[in-house]
Amino acid sequence: MNIENYLKDWKKKVDDKLNEHLPSEEEYPPLLHKAMRYSVLAGGKRIRAILMITTYSLSGGKHFDEIMPVSSAIEFIHSYSLIHDDLPAMDNDDYRRGILSSHKKFGEDIAILAGDALFSHAFYMISHSNIRADLKEETLRVLTRAIGNKGIIGGQIEDVISDSGEKNPKLLRYIHSHKTASFFSAVCEIGTILADANKEKISASRKGGLLIGMAFQIQDDILDVEGKKEEMGKEVKKDKNKLTYPSVYGIDFSRKIAKKYSMLALKQLNVISGNDKIFEDLLDFLLGRRN
Ligand code: GRG
């Protein structure tokens, strides 16, 4: 199967589950549920959920129904991070995924609460899933580390206080590896944990995921410079004053660094994919993407 069809098929399955796993607008309190559904169901590539499903499947996992609550949880956390990232106090973005950002549509108070509720709902989904207790515990350990002070939030705080004039490669690597790549690493690792894979595969997926995340965020920086608002579904050139790969290395060299990260990622991920070309195709897709 080619990569576009693979991603399209899994996106549809992930979207259906997200719809099922979100509270309905008829349930009380309706405004909160409406705002939660608005941001999650607005679209998105679902790349984090699909990476988890892919490492699960390549590690021999077969019980997809059992793990779909985790893929929904991952996308709830991701949507939560986007809602809060768009707030005026952070990146101040009016658009996301081609529609008004949550605070523009519902107001800041509701957007903050919708993000908070998605965060809690993610853990509700995992704790109420039928996953084996030891695998669930390990999943929670990996996930909570990746999104907290040693992960996304640690990276985000350095990102919001960063300055494009700084040209500090070490800080730049810290920001990207924490605000974005730590989550990619966790979702890849979680796929192998849920498949009860051996230590070698779990370690390779954790390292490979981190490297994919680095390549992904560098491409995101490049798209902020080169991308078009209509394709991106949000404003571009928003990172002008931030520390990014293009601000430190320029566009061409940033592209080379992203490619280097993707080759290093493949080396790791080959441990779980064997002869399957899936990660090679996936990385080509991610580095060639326009949104
Ligand atoms: C604890 C999860 C959490 C968040 C609180 C607000 C915040 C702290 C962090 C923001 C982190 C952030 C938004 C990083 C950028 C990651 C990124 C490149 C997002 C775009 O991801 P895509 O392209 O988006 O996968 P789609 O719309 O396709 O899902």
Side-chain angles (χ1 to χ4, degrees), residues 44-45 48 78 80-81 85 97 147 152-153 156 216-217:
K45 297 178 283 299
R48 293 157 188 80
H78 173 53
Y80 149 67
S81 78
D85 193 49
R97 294 172 166 170
I147 64 183
I152 299 183
I153 299 178
Q156 178 74 354
F216 184 88
Q217 182 58 56

Side-chain angles (χ1 to χ4, degrees), residues 43-48 75 77-78 80-82 84-85 90 96-97 119 147-148 152-153 156 179-180 216-217 220 289 291:
K45 297 178 283 299
R46 312 303 188 202
I47 206 68
R48 293 157 188 80
E75 289 296 325
I77 293 169
H78 173 53
Y80 149 67
S81 78
L82 299 180
H84 281 207
D85 193 49
M90 299 228 193
R96 172 67 70 177
R97 294 172 166 170
F119 194 50
I147 64 183
I152 299 183
I153 299 178
Q156 178 74 354
K179 88 165 179 179
T180 303
F216 184 88
Q217 182 58 56
D220 209 68
R289 73 197 165 94
N291 71 21

Side-chain angles (χ1 to χ4, degrees), residues 13 50 64 66 79 86 89 94 117 131 136 141 145 163 167 179 187 210 243 253 275:
K13 288 179 193 151
I50 296 173
F64 292 97
E66 231 171 74
S79 285
D86 290 341
D94 290 355
I131 293 161
K136 194 185 284 187
R141 190 186 66 76
R145 186 173 201 279
D163 179 326
K167 308 243 181 292
K179 88 165 179 179
V187 303
L210 189 81
L243 189 58
F253 199 57
N275 291 329

